[in-house]
Amino acid sequence: MPQFYGTEVRSRLLLGTARYRSPAMLAEAVRRSGTDIVTVSLRRETAGGRQGGAFFDLIRELGVRVLPNTAGCHSVSEAVLTAKMAREVFATNWIKLEVIGHHDTLQPDVFGLVEAARILAGEGFEVFPYTTDDLVVAERLVAAGCKVLMPWCAPIGSAMGPQNLPALRAMRGEFPDVPLIVDAGIGRPSHAATVMELGYDAVLLNTAVAAAADPAAMAEAFAKAIEAGHMAHGAGMLEPRDMAVPSTPIIGKAVFS
Amino acid sequence: MTVLVKGAGVAGLAAAFELSRRGIAVEVVDAAETIGAGASSYAGGMLAPYCEREAADEAVLTLGLSSADWWEEAVPGEVIRRGTLVLAAGRDSGELDRFAARTRGYEWVGGNAIGELEPDLAGRFERALFFSEEAHLDPRKAMAGLYAALVERGVRFHLGSADAPSETSYSAVVECTGAAAIATTPGLRGVRGEMLFLETSEISLSRPVRLLHPRHPLYIVPRDSHRFMIGATMIETDDDGPITARSVMEFLNAAYAVHPAFGEARLVETGVGIRPAFADNLPRVLDHDDGFAIAGMHRHGFLLAPAMARQLAERLCGAKHPPFSPNPSFRQGAIQ
């Protein structure tokens, strides 16, 4: 099973906690997904120095590991401040680092991301950076102290699925020993299976589950697809060819292959 | 038998009305000097069970269907039955399909029909969902109307801390204290809601308009005197401090997207309320030591207060020997 900063996890699915119809429905989705990591945003909930409401208690009661995130932060200082607040609220050094560069597409500000990652890693945080599929940025993040990378496969919440498979494949090839988690843009289980077939370690989902008509059933569907994609990667898949290959001899025709 | 209702927000007033119409003597107490001093005054007042179903349990729809009729009977003339219009900017058009897939009670309307429903929005949107059976009201006027009706029926109000009566002199106490119950009710949490009022005579709307957006859905509810209520955020905190700059920016930005005339509107009021909610975001009638409580109205105060008030009255009238036997713990009442 994958290890993130030395912690072995049982599930390759990480689940976001936003946008569910109710905390009860979130809890059911967490249970059905089998996940043992949920991400939680703090930026708005802790505005004005608050420690957050009872929702955070409900999150703690889920009995899974919490990966707090800096969603909604648009600058390095905001993200660093939110990470420190998260460490206090959830007593963890883990932080999913988001520094949003583009208000509309929520594309990460990769320059701010690298800077914030360096600051936080220097202060003992274990940083999970939400980044693009750019290899140079990924190298800088690793140099800044990140031991996990979380590339998008499409913009957050877009549900478009993998938009650039060669880039994701290149990242896997470039960083064979860094745990890679596809963080954003997954819309349906087949998307998750596709990136897992590339050899990715895990997938992080939120909207695709939370906004489904039946979030708990969708969570389980994703868990199965992720497991299937992972298993298929390990089993060694056939590469596509441009013509049929009969699996039994063809009577009356010589076969020269 | 005299029942004391604690809390003069929408739940308390509806409960008092429902008890009083069954011939039960009722008094209402609130620590505030005015009725509706909590989150109720900042409500949208949308009686929109179909729209709410998109992001709520089926029970919200079934319990909310008769809400507009209840309000019309309780405060005649206050319910405006012109439906709800749900819009999205062109590039977010897919959100309309997603919304439609999660509920019912709508018809698809095109650009011409949108212009017929709301002439000031003509030419601005190509596609919308129209929920013709939904209604809305002005929460402050509706609560004032309920208050007047209750006073007329002889219901005594104790408003302000100076006028607090002794609870032991009543045969039952009904707690409708909204966010104040969070600290003492297991499982109840606060969800912050922010809103603001714009005032402009440059445009008019006949009905609530919801603008879908992947991140910041909001609604605009027309009020009297050229006012528009714009809301509402849902933030998981019980912080009731002033509205944040970001929320104001998002509201104004979205209002401007609905119609640029909102850019020159006056921002005349902002408000923040804490909505009490259980983990499933559904309200409950709870058994209490000396009576009952209506708790966890979440964002459905005006939509679901009638149903909860009815449930409360049925249970209170159904109890054989009031006052009630002491019960040290809360028990959750079933949602019917």
Side-chain angles (χ1 to χ4, degrees):
Chain A
M1 294 311 284
Q3 288 198 354
F4 304 134
Y5 289 97
T7 299
E8 187 168 292
V9 297
R10 290 167 294 145
S11 166
R12 295 178 182 275
L13 191 167
L14 288 71
L15 206 55
T17 56
R19 303 191 56 185
Y20 290 82
R21 279 179 219 159
S22 67
M25 195 159 271
L26 160 66
E28 179 65 6
V30 167
R31 194 185 64 75
R32 287 274 290 276
S33 72
T35 186
D36 49 6
I37 300 176
V38 295
T39 71
V40 184
S41 68
L42 287 90
R43 179 74 185 106
R44 303 215 76 187
E45 291 72 12
T46 57
R50 304 277 295 202
Q51 292 284 320
F55 182 69
F56 288 172
D57 296 330
L58 294 172
I59 296 291
R60 292 187 193 98
E61 287 163 13
L62 292 172
V64 295
R65 187 173 279 271
V66 175
L67 171 58
N69 69 55
T70 64
C73 292
H74 291 252
S75 68
V76 172
S77 58
E78 257 183 298
V80 169
L81 185 71
T82 304
K84 289 178 178 172
M85 177 69 89
R87 178 149 71 178
E88 268 181 51
V89 172
F90 287 109
T92 175
N93 286 327
W94 281 15
I95 188 73
K96 184 192 152 193
L97 182 62
E98 293 186 28
V99 183
I100 300 303
H102 194 265
H103 185 78
D104 206 32
T105 63
L106 301 184
Q107 182 157 345
D109 168 3
V110 294
F111 307 97
L113 183 69
V114 172
E115 189 186 337
R118 187 177 297 117
I119 293 169
L120 290 171
E123 298 194 16
F125 282 92
E126 295 173 331
V127 180
F128 295 62
Y130 161 60
T131 181
T132 66
D133 52 24
D134 187 289
L135 291 183
V136 181
V137 172
E139 278 175 13
R140 298 284 165 91
L141 287 168
V142 170
C146 296
K147 295 186 169 62
V148 172
L149 294 171
M150 305 184 88
W152 68 358
C153 76
I156 292 179
S158 68
M160 288 194 288
Q163 294 299 292
N164 192 346
L165 283 175
L168 289 178
R169 196 177 283 123
M171 185 175 270
R172 180 71 283 179
E174 190 76 11
F175 299 97
D177 302 321
V178 177
L180 298 180
I181 305 169
V182 167
D183 183 359
I186 299 273
R188 47 187 63 199
S190 55
H191 297 155
T194 299
V195 300
M196 292 304 292
E197 286 168 7
L198 298 179
Y200 274 69
D201 295 278
V203 166
L204 191 152
L205 300 162
N206 191 344
T207 312
V209 170
D214 183 344
M218 189 60 81
E220 186 177 337
F222 267 108
K224 288 177 171 170
I226 288 165
E227 204 45 48
H230 171 70
M231 195 181 284
H233 174 73
M237 284 170 292
L238 291 182
E239 290 308 312
R241 317 170 25 122
D242 56 5
M243 62 179 292
V245 179
S247 56
T248 52
I250 300 171
I251 304 299
K253 287 198 176 174
V255 178
F256 305 98
S257 60
Chain B
M1 152 173 182
T2 300
V3 173
L4 179 69
V5 173
K6 290 173 73 177
V10 61
L13 293 172
F17 188 85
E18 212 34 57
L19 292 173
S20 146
R21 71 159 30 156
R22 285 162 205 246
I24 297 171
V26 181
E27 295 183 17
V28 180
V29 60
D30 198 302
E33 303 282 343
T34 58
I35 60 164
S40 302
S41 287
Y42 300 116
M46 292 179 296
L47 307 175
Y50 295 103
C51 282
E52 289 300 311
R53 174 68 179 100
E54 180 262 335
D57 195 274
E58 177 74 13
V60 171
L61 172 55
T62 50
L63 290 171
L65 275 178
S66 59
S67 184
D69 291 340
W70 189 95
W71 282 106
E72 178 58 37
E73 194 188 338
V75 284
E78 291 297 334
V79 176
I80 304 159
R81 295 173 186 266
R82 293 193 195 129
T84 307
L85 194 61
V86 180
L87 304 167
R91 62 168 205 176
D92 298 327
S93 186
E95 291 294 307
L96 282 173
D97 299 287
R98 195 189 58 73
F99 194 97
R102 299 281 181 272
T103 187
R104 54 190 188 271
Y106 58 84
E107 57 187 296
W108 283 100
V109 289
N112 290 340
I114 294 170
E116 283 164 22
L117 288 165
E118 296 291 353
D120 282 345
L121 300 183
R124 301 192 55 77
F125 296 90
E126 286 168 14
R127 238 160 53 107
L129 297 167
F130 180 49
F131 294 78
S132 62
E133 289 172 40
E134 295 188 334
H136 71 284
L137 50 70
D138 179 334
R140 294 174 188 181
K141 285 171 66 183
M143 284 192 290
L146 266 190
Y147 173 74
L150 288 166
V151 169
E152 194 175 320
R153 285 166 186 260
V155 173
R156 187 173 163 205
F157 278 78
H158 307 267
L159 297 178
S161 51
D163 194 20
S166 161
E167 291 180 25
T168 53
S169 53
Y170 296 88
S171 50
V173 176
V174 176
E175 306 247 5
C176 303
T177 51
I182 291 171
T184 54
T185 309
L188 203 60
R189 74 187 198 284
V191 181
R192 173 182 167 96
E194 299 158 304
M195 53 75 75
L196 53 81
F197 278 108
L198 293 180
E199 188 179 299
T200 175
S201 56
E202 288 183 38
I203 67 167
S204 64
L205 296 174
S206 301
R207 56 184 59 76
V209 168
R210 293 181 182 227
L211 180 70
L212 302 185
H213 180 281
R215 296 194 294 279
H216 316 300
L218 68 79
Y219 49 78
I220 303 176
V221 189
R223 300 267 198 256
D224 293 345
S225 313
H226 308 295
R227 286 193 172 200
F228 299 86
M229 183 274 193
I230 302 182
T233 52
M234 284 199 287
I235 303 172
E236 289 284 354
T237 173
D238 52 11
D239 171 13
D240 64 354
I243 191 169
T244 63
R246 175 168 155 183
S247 294
V248 174
M249 285 191 290
E250 285 171 358
F251 286 154
L252 298 184
N253 195 26
Y256 186 78
V258 170
H259 199 293
F262 282 119
E264 293 303 326
R266 293 170 193 275
L267 203 177
V268 292
E269 184 183 340
T270 64
V272 173
I274 300 301
R275 314 175 186 96
F278 289 104
D280 58 6
N281 289 346
L282 293 173
R284 284 169 172 68
V285 176
L286 303 169
D287 289 325
H288 207 301
D289 283 359
D290 46 8
F292 294 96
I294 295 177
M297 299 303 297
H298 192 230
R299 60 179 266 154
H300 300 125
F302 282 81
L303 180 63
L304 299 186
M308 301 320 289
R310 261 195 304 257
Q311 281 187 22
L312 165 87
E314 280 159 17
R315 288 175 62 177
L316 207 145
C317 295
K320 291 260 166 56
H321 305 291
F324 309 90
S325 55
N327 170 14
S329 63
F330 284 92
R331 286 201 307 272
Q332 292 183 352
I335 303 270
Q336 284 152 12

